[in-house]
Amino acid sequence: MQKVISSLKKNAFFIFASFLTYLVGAIIAGFESTHIDFNSLILGVLVFINILALQQLFNYLSTSKINPYSRVSFERGNKKGQLFILTIVLFLIYLFLIYMILQMNKLIGVNLIYISLITFLVLMTISRLGKMVFQTYGLIIEGMVVSPLMLLFGGGMQGMNPTSGHILLTLAFFFLYVATRTSLMFEQFDRDKKTGERSILDVIGWENGIRIQNYFLLLTYLVFFLYFYRNGSLGINLPVLITAIIGVFSMFLLNQMARGMKPHWQIIKATAFLHFFAVCYLLVYPLF
């Protein structure tokens, strides 16, 4: 449980952002169809939770000396047997949820692609090669899951087929996630170096990491502006553009850290979560 809790804390922002973009996609699709199917909404959430549970299980199995798939004993209290049963149960739940979505006629078309890609990207750390790729390019992979996949999956579960406008929106959220997630990687940078783990900051350097955050924040609001202008909703969505102030504050904190001042990690974390939540909330608020 300690390993699972530690992993969940490390991935808290990814999980938080994934659920938010899923809800944004579902609400936008519900607004366009004037109805939100809550059964489909909940099923999609359960699918993602199940995939996360499988990820945590396999992460534990890949770092633990316990191999539950050899000489399994189902005696009471045997950890190998418990882990083996847990693996089977999670896969059965996954298949059951997919079957329920199929029964609701929501698996046809793009939803199957979304689920398959989300499953593949989240569980790619099962293999040694996948884990090596994820350690280096995890930021980009997480961004792809958060948006476009989770956002479009939320809309797809409500029967929405993506248009060019939706693609613009997913691009804006991808840039937003990369920018905000980058600001959270600096606290983990020194810890990763001590444990031998690699991240994208090791590849490009922390100075370029700060530049990436700055550039991607600029791209975020440029794409949001184009999206709102294209939809003719620039006026009512002006508060979303004003949230750029939060991003500028985050940039200020990182630049202060780069100049040698004491980093305020808790404020940087709170700013990242607040920034992403504010954009999602202010985007869907006018639809209610």
Side-chain angles (χ1 to χ4, degrees), residues 17-74:
S18 296
F19 280 123
L20 282 182
T21 52
Y22 175 83
L23 290 175
V24 167
I27 292 172
I28 290 176
F31 173 77
E32 293 178 356
S33 64
T34 68
H35 172 70
I36 294 180
D37 186 344
F38 286 98
N39 291 330
S40 298
L41 180 72
I42 294 172
L43 267 179
V45 170
L46 292 177
V47 166
F48 186 63
I49 291 175
N50 183 257
I51 295 172
L52 288 175
L54 284 168
Q55 181 198 51
Q56 296 304 311
L57 174 63
F58 286 117
N59 284 345
Y60 172 74
L61 294 177
S62 63
T63 58
S64 171
K65 295 181 180 179
I66 299 173
N67 183 358
Y69 310 119
S70 64
R71 298 180 182 179
V72 177
S73 174
F74 295 100

Short mmCIF file of all heavy atoms in Angstrom, two decimals, residues 17-74:
data_model
loop_
_atom_site.label_atom_id
_atom_site.label_comp_id
_atom_site.label_asym_id
_atom_site.label_seq_id
_atom_site.Cartn_x
_atom_site.Cartn_y
_atom_site.Cartn_z
N ALA A 17 -6.05 15.81 -13.87
CA ALA A 17 -6.27 16.43 -15.17
C ALA A 17 -7.06 15.51 -16.10
O ALA A 17 -7.90 15.98 -16.88
CB ALA A 17 -4.92 16.80 -15.80
N SER A 18 -6.81 14.21 -16.02
CA SER A 18 -7.52 13.25 -16.88
C SER A 18 -9.01 13.26 -16.60
O SER A 18 -9.84 13.28 -17.52
CB SER A 18 -6.95 11.85 -16.68
OG SER A 18 -5.61 11.77 -17.07
N PHE A 19 -9.38 13.24 -15.32
CA PHE A 19 -10.79 13.26 -14.97
C PHE A 19 -11.44 14.58 -15.39
O PHE A 19 -12.59 14.60 -15.86
CB PHE A 19 -10.98 13.04 -13.47
CG PHE A 19 -10.89 11.60 -13.05
CD1 PHE A 19 -9.98 11.18 -12.11
CD2 PHE A 19 -11.73 10.64 -13.61
CE1 PHE A 19 -9.89 9.85 -11.73
CE2 PHE A 19 -11.66 9.31 -13.24
CZ PHE A 19 -10.73 8.92 -12.29
N LEU A 20 -10.72 15.68 -15.24
CA LEU A 20 -11.29 16.98 -15.60
C LEU A 20 -11.54 17.08 -17.10
O LEU A 20 -12.60 17.54 -17.53
CB LEU A 20 -10.36 18.11 -15.15
CG LEU A 20 -10.40 18.48 -13.66
CD1 LEU A 20 -9.47 19.64 -13.37
CD2 LEU A 20 -11.81 18.84 -13.22
N THR A 21 -10.56 16.65 -17.91
CA THR A 21 -10.77 16.75 -19.36
C THR A 21 -11.86 15.78 -19.82
O THR A 21 -12.60 16.09 -20.77
CB THR A 21 -9.46 16.45 -20.13
OG1 THR A 21 -8.91 15.20 -19.69
CG2 THR A 21 -8.45 17.55 -19.91
N TYR A 22 -11.97 14.64 -19.16
CA TYR A 22 -13.06 13.70 -19.48
C TYR A 22 -14.41 14.38 -19.23
O TYR A 22 -15.33 14.30 -20.06
CB TYR A 22 -12.93 12.44 -18.63
CG TYR A 22 -14.07 11.46 -18.80
CD1 TYR A 22 -14.09 10.56 -19.86
CD2 TYR A 22 -15.14 11.44 -17.89
CE1 TYR A 22 -15.14 9.67 -20.02
CE2 TYR A 22 -16.19 10.55 -18.05
CZ TYR A 22 -16.19 9.67 -19.11
OH TYR A 22 -17.24 8.79 -19.27
N LEU A 23 -14.54 15.07 -18.09
CA LEU A 23 -15.79 15.76 -17.77
C LEU A 23 -16.05 16.92 -18.72
O LEU A 23 -17.20 17.16 -19.11
CB LEU A 23 -15.75 16.26 -16.32
CG LEU A 23 -15.80 15.19 -15.23
CD1 LEU A 23 -15.63 15.81 -13.85
CD2 LEU A 23 -17.12 14.42 -15.29
N VAL A 24 -14.99 17.62 -19.10
CA VAL A 24 -15.15 18.72 -20.06
C VAL A 24 -15.70 18.18 -21.39
O VAL A 24 -16.65 18.75 -21.96
CB VAL A 24 -13.81 19.44 -20.29
CG1 VAL A 24 -13.88 20.36 -21.52
CG2 VAL A 24 -13.42 20.25 -19.07
N GLY A 25 -15.12 17.08 -21.87
CA GLY A 25 -15.61 16.49 -23.11
C GLY A 25 -17.06 16.04 -23.01
O GLY A 25 -17.85 16.25 -23.93
N ALA A 26 -17.42 15.43 -21.87
CA ALA A 26 -18.78 14.94 -21.67
C ALA A 26 -19.77 16.11 -21.60
O ALA A 26 -20.87 16.04 -22.17
CB ALA A 26 -18.86 14.10 -20.39
N ILE A 27 -19.39 17.18 -20.90
CA ILE A 27 -20.30 18.33 -20.75
C ILE A 27 -20.49 19.05 -22.07
O ILE A 27 -21.61 19.44 -22.43
CB ILE A 27 -19.76 19.29 -19.67
CG1 ILE A 27 -19.83 18.63 -18.29
CG2 ILE A 27 -20.56 20.59 -19.66
CD1 ILE A 27 -19.15 19.40 -17.19
N ILE A 28 -19.42 19.22 -22.83
CA ILE A 28 -19.54 19.87 -24.15
C ILE A 28 -20.42 19.04 -25.07
O ILE A 28 -21.29 19.58 -25.77
CB ILE A 28 -18.14 20.08 -24.76
CG1 ILE A 28 -17.38 21.15 -23.99
CG2 ILE A 28 -18.25 20.48 -26.24
CD1 ILE A 28 -15.96 21.36 -24.46
N ALA A 29 -20.22 17.72 -25.07
CA ALA A 29 -21.06 16.84 -25.90
C ALA A 29 -22.50 16.86 -25.42
O ALA A 29 -23.43 16.87 -26.24
CB ALA A 29 -20.51 15.42 -25.86
N GLY A 30 -22.70 16.88 -24.12
CA GLY A 30 -24.06 16.96 -23.57
C GLY A 30 -24.75 18.25 -23.94
O GLY A 30 -25.96 18.28 -24.20
N PHE A 31 -23.99 19.35 -23.96
CA PHE A 31 -24.57 20.64 -24.36
C PHE A 31 -24.98 20.62 -25.83
O PHE A 31 -26.03 21.15 -26.20
CB PHE A 31 -23.54 21.75 -24.10
CG PHE A 31 -23.96 23.09 -24.63
CD1 PHE A 31 -24.90 23.86 -23.95
CD2 PHE A 31 -23.42 23.60 -25.81
CE1 PHE A 31 -25.29 25.10 -24.44
CE2 PHE A 31 -23.80 24.82 -26.30
CZ PHE A 31 -24.75 25.59 -25.61
N GLU A 32 -24.15 20.00 -26.66
CA GLU A 32 -24.46 19.96 -28.09
C GLU A 32 -25.67 19.07 -28.39
O GLU A 32 -26.42 19.33 -29.32
CB GLU A 32 -23.23 19.46 -28.87
CG GLU A 32 -22.06 20.44 -28.84
CD GLU A 32 -20.83 19.90 -29.57
OE1 GLU A 32 -20.88 18.73 -30.02
OE2 GLU A 32 -19.84 20.64 -29.68
N SER A 33 -25.84 18.02 -27.56
CA SER A 33 -26.98 17.11 -27.78
C SER A 33 -28.14 17.41 -26.84
O SER A 33 -29.16 16.71 -26.89
CB SER A 33 -26.53 15.66 -27.59
OG SER A 33 -26.11 15.44 -26.25
N THR A 34 -27.98 18.44 -25.99
CA THR A 34 -28.99 18.85 -24.99
C THR A 34 -29.32 17.76 -23.97
O THR A 34 -30.37 17.79 -23.36
CB THR A 34 -30.30 19.31 -25.67
OG1 THR A 34 -30.94 18.18 -26.29
CG2 THR A 34 -30.04 20.39 -26.71
N HIS A 35 -28.43 16.79 -23.81
CA HIS A 35 -28.69 15.71 -22.84
C HIS A 35 -27.38 15.03 -22.49
O HIS A 35 -26.55 14.76 -23.36
CB HIS A 35 -29.66 14.68 -23.43
CG HIS A 35 -29.82 13.46 -22.57
ND1 HIS A 35 -30.48 13.47 -21.36
CD2 HIS A 35 -29.38 12.17 -22.75
CE1 HIS A 35 -30.45 12.26 -20.83
NE2 HIS A 35 -29.79 11.45 -21.65
N ILE A 36 -27.19 14.78 -21.19
CA ILE A 36 -26.02 14.04 -20.72
C ILE A 36 -26.47 12.67 -20.24
O ILE A 36 -27.34 12.56 -19.37
CB ILE A 36 -25.29 14.78 -19.57
CG1 ILE A 36 -24.69 16.10 -20.07
CG2 ILE A 36 -24.19 13.90 -18.98
CD1 ILE A 36 -23.96 16.88 -19.00
N ASP A 37 -25.90 11.64 -20.81
CA ASP A 37 -26.18 10.26 -20.42
C ASP A 37 -25.28 9.91 -19.24
O ASP A 37 -24.10 9.62 -19.40
CB ASP A 37 -25.91 9.32 -21.60
CG ASP A 37 -26.33 7.88 -21.30
OD1 ASP A 37 -26.55 7.55 -20.12
OD2 ASP A 37 -26.42 7.08 -22.25
N PHE A 38 -25.84 9.95 -18.03
CA PHE A 38 -25.04 9.76 -16.82
C PHE A 38 -24.55 8.31 -16.69
O PHE A 38 -23.50 8.07 -16.10
CB PHE A 38 -25.83 10.17 -15.58
CG PHE A 38 -25.96 11.66 -15.43
CD1 PHE A 38 -27.11 12.32 -15.85
CD2 PHE A 38 -24.92 12.41 -14.89
CE1 PHE A 38 -27.22 13.69 -15.73
CE2 PHE A 38 -25.02 13.78 -14.77
CZ PHE A 38 -26.18 14.43 -15.18
N ASN A 39 -25.31 7.36 -17.23
CA ASN A 39 -24.84 5.97 -17.19
C ASN A 39 -23.55 5.81 -18.00
O ASN A 39 -22.60 5.17 -17.56
CB ASN A 39 -25.92 5.03 -17.72
CG ASN A 39 -27.11 4.93 -16.80
OD1 ASN A 39 -26.98 5.06 -15.58
ND2 ASN A 39 -28.29 4.70 -17.36
N SER A 40 -23.54 6.40 -19.19
CA SER A 40 -22.34 6.36 -20.02
C SER A 40 -21.20 7.13 -19.36
O SER A 40 -20.03 6.71 -19.42
CB SER A 40 -22.63 6.95 -21.40
OG SER A 40 -23.62 6.19 -22.07
N LEU A 41 -21.54 8.25 -18.74
CA LEU A 41 -20.53 9.06 -18.05
C LEU A 41 -19.83 8.26 -16.96
O LEU A 41 -18.60 8.22 -16.87
CB LEU A 41 -21.19 10.30 -17.45
CG LEU A 41 -20.28 11.26 -16.69
CD1 LEU A 41 -19.38 12.02 -17.64
CD2 LEU A 41 -21.09 12.23 -15.84
N ILE A 42 -20.61 7.57 -16.14
CA ILE A 42 -20.06 6.79 -15.03
C ILE A 42 -19.27 5.59 -15.54
O ILE A 42 -18.21 5.25 -15.01
CB ILE A 42 -21.19 6.34 -14.09
CG1 ILE A 42 -21.83 7.56 -13.42
CG2 ILE A 42 -20.67 5.37 -13.04
CD1 ILE A 42 -23.07 7.25 -12.62
N LEU A 43 -19.77 4.94 -16.60
CA LEU A 43 -19.06 3.80 -17.16
C LEU A 43 -17.67 4.19 -17.65
O LEU A 43 -16.68 3.47 -17.45
CB LEU A 43 -19.86 3.19 -18.32
CG LEU A 43 -20.81 2.04 -17.98
CD1 LEU A 43 -21.53 1.59 -19.24
CD2 LEU A 43 -20.07 0.89 -17.35
N GLY A 44 -17.58 5.35 -18.30
CA GLY A 44 -16.29 5.82 -18.77
C GLY A 44 -15.33 6.09 -17.63
O GLY A 44 -14.14 5.77 -17.71
N VAL A 45 -15.85 6.67 -16.55
CA VAL A 45 -15.02 6.92 -15.36
C VAL A 45 -14.52 5.61 -14.77
O VAL A 45 -13.35 5.47 -14.40
CB VAL A 45 -15.83 7.71 -14.31
CG1 VAL A 45 -15.07 7.76 -12.98
CG2 VAL A 45 -16.11 9.12 -14.80
N LEU A 46 -15.41 4.61 -14.70
CA LEU A 46 -15.03 3.31 -14.14
C LEU A 46 -13.98 2.61 -14.98
O LEU A 46 -13.08 1.94 -14.46
CB LEU A 46 -16.27 2.42 -13.99
CG LEU A 46 -17.30 2.86 -12.95
CD1 LEU A 46 -18.51 1.93 -12.96
CD2 LEU A 46 -16.68 2.90 -11.55
N VAL A 47 -14.07 2.77 -16.31
CA VAL A 47 -13.07 2.18 -17.20
C VAL A 47 -11.69 2.78 -16.90
O VAL A 47 -10.69 2.05 -16.76
CB VAL A 47 -13.43 2.40 -18.68
CG1 VAL A 47 -12.24 2.09 -19.59
CG2 VAL A 47 -14.62 1.53 -19.06
N PHE A 48 -11.64 4.08 -16.75
CA PHE A 48 -10.35 4.73 -16.49
C PHE A 48 -9.80 4.36 -15.11
O PHE A 48 -8.60 4.12 -14.95
CB PHE A 48 -10.49 6.25 -16.61
CG PHE A 48 -9.18 6.98 -16.50
CD1 PHE A 48 -8.19 6.79 -17.44
CD2 PHE A 48 -8.94 7.86 -15.46
CE1 PHE A 48 -6.97 7.46 -17.36
CE2 PHE A 48 -7.73 8.53 -15.35
CZ PHE A 48 -6.75 8.34 -16.31
N ILE A 49 -10.68 4.29 -14.11
CA ILE A 49 -10.25 3.88 -12.77
C ILE A 49 -9.70 2.46 -12.81
O ILE A 49 -8.69 2.15 -12.17
CB ILE A 49 -11.42 3.98 -11.77
CG1 ILE A 49 -11.79 5.45 -11.53
CG2 ILE A 49 -11.08 3.29 -10.45
CD1 ILE A 49 -13.01 5.64 -10.66
N ASN A 50 -10.36 1.59 -13.56
CA ASN A 50 -9.90 0.20 -13.68
C ASN A 50 -8.53 0.13 -14.35
O ASN A 50 -7.65 -0.64 -13.92
CB ASN A 50 -10.92 -0.60 -14.47
CG ASN A 50 -10.56 -2.07 -14.57
OD1 ASN A 50 -10.08 -2.54 -15.59
ND2 ASN A 50 -10.77 -2.81 -13.50
N ILE A 51 -8.32 0.93 -15.38
CA ILE A 51 -7.02 0.97 -16.06
C ILE A 51 -5.94 1.47 -15.10
O ILE A 51 -4.83 0.94 -15.06
CB ILE A 51 -7.09 1.85 -17.32
CG1 ILE A 51 -8.03 1.23 -18.36
CG2 ILE A 51 -5.71 2.04 -17.93
CD1 ILE A 51 -8.31 2.11 -19.55
N LEU A 52 -6.28 2.48 -14.30
CA LEU A 52 -5.32 3.00 -13.31
C LEU A 52 -5.00 1.93 -12.27
O LEU A 52 -3.84 1.80 -11.84
CB LEU A 52 -5.89 4.24 -12.62
CG LEU A 52 -5.96 5.53 -13.45
CD1 LEU A 52 -6.66 6.62 -12.64
CD2 LEU A 52 -4.57 5.99 -13.86
N ALA A 53 -6.01 1.16 -11.86
CA ALA A 53 -5.78 0.09 -10.89
C ALA A 53 -4.84 -0.97 -11.46
O ALA A 53 -3.94 -1.46 -10.77
CB ALA A 53 -7.11 -0.54 -10.48
N LEU A 54 -5.04 -1.31 -12.73
CA LEU A 54 -4.14 -2.27 -13.38
C LEU A 54 -2.72 -1.71 -13.47
O LEU A 54 -1.74 -2.43 -13.28
CB LEU A 54 -4.65 -2.60 -14.78
CG LEU A 54 -5.86 -3.55 -14.85
CD1 LEU A 54 -6.46 -3.56 -16.25
CD2 LEU A 54 -5.45 -4.96 -14.44
N GLN A 55 -2.61 -0.41 -13.75
CA GLN A 55 -1.29 0.21 -13.82
C GLN A 55 -0.57 0.12 -12.48
O GLN A 55 0.61 -0.24 -12.42
CB GLN A 55 -1.42 1.68 -14.23
CG GLN A 55 -0.08 2.40 -14.35
CD GLN A 55 -0.23 3.91 -14.33
OE1 GLN A 55 -0.88 4.46 -13.45
NE2 GLN A 55 0.37 4.58 -15.30
N GLN A 56 -1.30 0.43 -11.39
CA GLN A 56 -0.68 0.37 -10.07
C GLN A 56 -0.28 -1.05 -9.71
O GLN A 56 0.78 -1.28 -9.12
CB GLN A 56 -1.66 0.93 -9.01
CG GLN A 56 -2.00 2.39 -9.17
CD GLN A 56 -0.77 3.28 -9.18
OE1 GLN A 56 0.10 3.16 -8.31
NE2 GLN A 56 -0.67 4.15 -10.16
N LEU A 57 -1.11 -2.01 -10.09
CA LEU A 57 -0.80 -3.41 -9.80
C LEU A 57 0.47 -3.85 -10.53
O LEU A 57 1.38 -4.43 -9.92
CB LEU A 57 -1.97 -4.30 -10.21
CG LEU A 57 -1.74 -5.82 -10.08
CD1 LEU A 57 -1.50 -6.22 -8.64
CD2 LEU A 57 -2.91 -6.60 -10.67
N PHE A 58 0.55 -3.54 -11.82
CA PHE A 58 1.71 -3.97 -12.59
C PHE A 58 2.97 -3.19 -12.22
O PHE A 58 4.07 -3.73 -12.30
CB PHE A 58 1.43 -3.85 -14.09
CG PHE A 58 0.51 -4.92 -14.61
CD1 PHE A 58 -0.72 -4.60 -15.14
CD2 PHE A 58 0.89 -6.25 -14.55
CE1 PHE A 58 -1.58 -5.60 -15.61
CE2 PHE A 58 0.05 -7.26 -15.02
CZ PHE A 58 -1.19 -6.93 -15.55
N ASN A 59 2.81 -1.93 -11.81
CA ASN A 59 3.96 -1.19 -11.32
C ASN A 59 4.51 -1.84 -10.05
O ASN A 59 5.73 -1.92 -9.86
CB ASN A 59 3.58 0.26 -11.02
CG ASN A 59 3.45 1.09 -12.28
OD1 ASN A 59 3.90 0.68 -13.35
ND2 ASN A 59 2.85 2.26 -12.17
N TYR A 60 3.61 -2.30 -9.19
CA TYR A 60 4.05 -2.98 -7.97
C TYR A 60 4.73 -4.31 -8.30
O TYR A 60 5.78 -4.64 -7.75
CB TYR A 60 2.85 -3.22 -7.06
CG TYR A 60 3.20 -4.10 -5.86
CD1 TYR A 60 3.94 -3.59 -4.81
CD2 TYR A 60 2.81 -5.43 -5.82
CE1 TYR A 60 4.27 -4.38 -3.72
CE2 TYR A 60 3.13 -6.24 -4.73
CZ TYR A 60 3.86 -5.70 -3.69
OH TYR A 60 4.19 -6.50 -2.62
N LEU A 61 4.14 -5.06 -9.22
CA LEU A 61 4.71 -6.36 -9.58
C LEU A 61 6.07 -6.22 -10.24
O LEU A 61 6.93 -7.10 -10.09
CB LEU A 61 3.75 -7.11 -10.52
CG LEU A 61 2.41 -7.54 -9.92
CD1 LEU A 61 1.55 -8.19 -10.98
CD2 LEU A 61 2.62 -8.48 -8.74
N SER A 62 6.28 -5.13 -10.96
CA SER A 62 7.56 -4.94 -11.65
C SER A 62 8.66 -4.45 -10.72
O SER A 62 9.84 -4.49 -11.07
CB SER A 62 7.40 -3.96 -12.82
OG SER A 62 7.02 -2.68 -12.33
N THR A 63 8.28 -3.94 -9.52
CA THR A 63 9.28 -3.46 -8.57
C THR A 63 9.37 -4.35 -7.34
O THR A 63 10.20 -4.12 -6.48
CB THR A 63 8.94 -2.03 -8.12
OG1 THR A 63 7.63 -2.01 -7.54
CG2 THR A 63 8.99 -1.06 -9.29
N SER A 64 8.51 -5.37 -7.27
CA SER A 64 8.51 -6.26 -6.11
C SER A 64 9.22 -7.56 -6.46
O SER A 64 9.25 -7.99 -7.61
CB SER A 64 7.06 -6.55 -5.67
OG SER A 64 7.04 -7.56 -4.69
N LYS A 65 9.78 -8.19 -5.47
CA LYS A 65 10.45 -9.47 -5.66
C LYS A 65 9.45 -10.63 -5.70
O LYS A 65 9.81 -11.78 -5.93
CB LYS A 65 11.46 -9.71 -4.53
CG LYS A 65 12.61 -8.72 -4.53
CD LYS A 65 13.58 -9.01 -3.40
CE LYS A 65 14.73 -8.00 -3.41
NZ LYS A 65 15.69 -8.26 -2.30
N ILE A 66 8.19 -10.30 -5.45
CA ILE A 66 7.16 -11.34 -5.45
C ILE A 66 6.68 -11.59 -6.87
O ILE A 66 6.28 -10.66 -7.57
CB ILE A 66 5.96 -10.93 -4.57
CG1 ILE A 66 6.42 -10.73 -3.13
CG2 ILE A 66 4.85 -11.95 -4.65
CD1 ILE A 66 5.34 -10.17 -2.24
N ASN A 67 6.72 -12.82 -7.31
CA ASN A 67 6.19 -13.20 -8.63
C ASN A 67 4.94 -14.04 -8.40
O ASN A 67 5.02 -15.21 -8.07
CB ASN A 67 7.22 -14.00 -9.42
CG ASN A 67 6.72 -14.34 -10.82
OD1 ASN A 67 5.59 -13.99 -11.18
ND2 ASN A 67 7.54 -15.00 -11.59
N PRO A 68 3.76 -13.44 -8.58
CA PRO A 68 2.53 -14.15 -8.28
C PRO A 68 2.17 -15.20 -9.31
O PRO A 68 1.20 -15.94 -9.14
CB PRO A 68 1.48 -13.03 -8.25
CG PRO A 68 2.01 -12.03 -9.21
CD PRO A 68 3.50 -12.08 -9.09
N TYR A 69 2.91 -15.27 -10.42
CA TYR A 69 2.54 -16.18 -11.50
C TYR A 69 3.40 -17.43 -11.54
O TYR A 69 3.44 -18.13 -12.53
CB TYR A 69 2.62 -15.43 -12.83
CG TYR A 69 1.88 -14.12 -12.79
CD1 TYR A 69 2.54 -12.91 -13.00
CD2 TYR A 69 0.52 -14.08 -12.49
CE1 TYR A 69 1.86 -11.71 -12.93
CE2 TYR A 69 -0.16 -12.88 -12.41
CZ TYR A 69 0.51 -11.71 -12.63
OH TYR A 69 -0.15 -10.52 -12.56
N SER A 70 4.15 -17.69 -10.47
CA SER A 70 4.91 -18.93 -10.39
C SER A 70 4.65 -19.58 -9.04
O SER A 70 4.70 -18.93 -8.00
CB SER A 70 6.41 -18.63 -10.55
OG SER A 70 6.88 -17.83 -9.49
N ARG A 71 4.32 -20.88 -9.10
CA ARG A 71 4.04 -21.65 -7.88
C ARG A 71 2.99 -20.96 -7.00
O ARG A 71 3.20 -20.69 -5.83
CB ARG A 71 5.32 -21.86 -7.08
CG ARG A 71 6.39 -22.65 -7.83
CD ARG A 71 7.61 -22.83 -7.00
NE ARG A 71 8.64 -23.56 -7.74
CZ ARG A 71 9.85 -23.83 -7.25
NH1 ARG A 71 10.18 -23.44 -6.03
NH2 ARG A 71 10.72 -24.49 -7.99
N VAL A 72 1.87 -20.65 -7.63
CA VAL A 72 0.81 -19.95 -6.91
C VAL A 72 0.19 -20.88 -5.88
O VAL A 72 -0.15 -22.03 -6.17
CB VAL A 72 -0.28 -19.45 -7.89
CG1 VAL A 72 -1.42 -18.80 -7.12
CG2 VAL A 72 0.32 -18.48 -8.87
N SER A 73 0.05 -20.38 -4.68
CA SER A 73 -0.61 -21.11 -3.61
C SER A 73 -1.80 -20.30 -3.13
O SER A 73 -1.67 -19.09 -2.91
CB SER A 73 0.36 -21.36 -2.44
OG SER A 73 -0.34 -21.95 -1.36
N PHE A 74 -2.93 -20.94 -3.00
CA PHE A 74 -4.13 -20.23 -2.59
C PHE A 74 -4.43 -20.44 -1.11
O PHE A 74 -5.57 -20.33 -0.67
CB PHE A 74 -5.33 -20.66 -3.44
CG PHE A 74 -5.18 -20.27 -4.88
CD1 PHE A 74 -4.77 -21.20 -5.83
CD2 PHE A 74 -5.40 -18.97 -5.30
CE1 PHE A 74 -4.62 -20.85 -7.15
CE2 PHE A 74 -5.25 -18.61 -6.62
CZ PHE A 74 -4.86 -19.55 -7.56
#
